[in-house]
Amino acid sequence: DYAPKAVDVHKHYCPWLMSLEVSHTIPASPALVEEAVLAAQKGQRLWGDLAPQRRAEILEKAAEILDWQWDALFALQVYEAGKDWAHADADIAEAIDFLRYYAWQIRTLGAKFQPHSLWGEANQTTYEPRGL
């Protein structure tokens, strides 16, 4: 129920063309921040409950979406952050590579690195997502 005043709006301008407003933000109330943190905690639990294969599929789909939106992401980095073309291009490529790498890791780590069970023990390594 936070009603921002016009002065609360933070405008962000292109660093090399200050007449171009690229984005703006409005501060959140403490109650809205708390709501966001609770939603993130719930999302973390839901993500962890997904089967590893499904998490890998979601990461790969996210990589596809970034690839499809390359031009918009590129423009945003150039206009909002003032990055040159080479660095903006590299940042997007790196984000896509990380998503695909972590999807691959999800699929391969669990089966590859199981500890040896000795003397009747049943040891198993499990991987869980962590952090918000």
Side-chain angles (χ1 to χ4, degrees):
D1 300 326
Y2 179 70
K5 301 176 181 106
V7 294
D8 287 341
V9 175
H10 174 73
K11 296 179 180 183
H12 187 83
Y13 296 92
C14 176
W16 45 269
L17 183 60
M18 292 302 289
S19 61
L20 177 61
E21 181 183 335
V22 180
S23 63
H24 61 271
T25 58
I26 300 170
S29 67
L32 191 55
V33 171
E34 179 68 22
E35 184 180 332
V37 169
L38 292 173
Q41 289 169 339
K42 179 181 178 185
Q44 174 68 22
R45 287 190 301 274
L46 294 172
W47 178 255
D49 288 344
L50 289 176
Q53 178 65 25
R54 182 66 183 128
R55 289 196 307 262
E57 290 168 1
I58 291 169
L59 292 176
E60 287 171 338
K61 183 63 176 178
E64 285 180 36
I65 291 169
L66 291 183
D67 200 14
W68 295 336
Q69 296 296 319
W70 194 292
D71 292 343
L73 295 168
F74 186 85
L76 188 62
Q77 287 197 63
V78 170
Y79 285 111
E80 187 170 47
K83 291 193 176 191
D84 61 57
W85 290 27
H87 286 97
D89 185 64
D91 283 350
I92 298 165
E94 183 178 38
I96 292 169
D97 287 348
F98 272 125
L99 288 165
R100 290 183 175 144
Y101 170 76
Y102 287 123
W104 175 81
Q105 288 283 53
I106 288 170
R107 288 194 171 100
T108 59
L109 277 181
K112 275 185 156 182
F113 298 105
Q114 290 302 320
H116 295 286
S117 296
L118 303 173
W119 303 296
E121 294 177 350
N123 298 315
Q124 183 175 353
T125 299
T126 58
Y127 296 92
E128 297 179 3
R130 48 175 259 177
L132 294 180

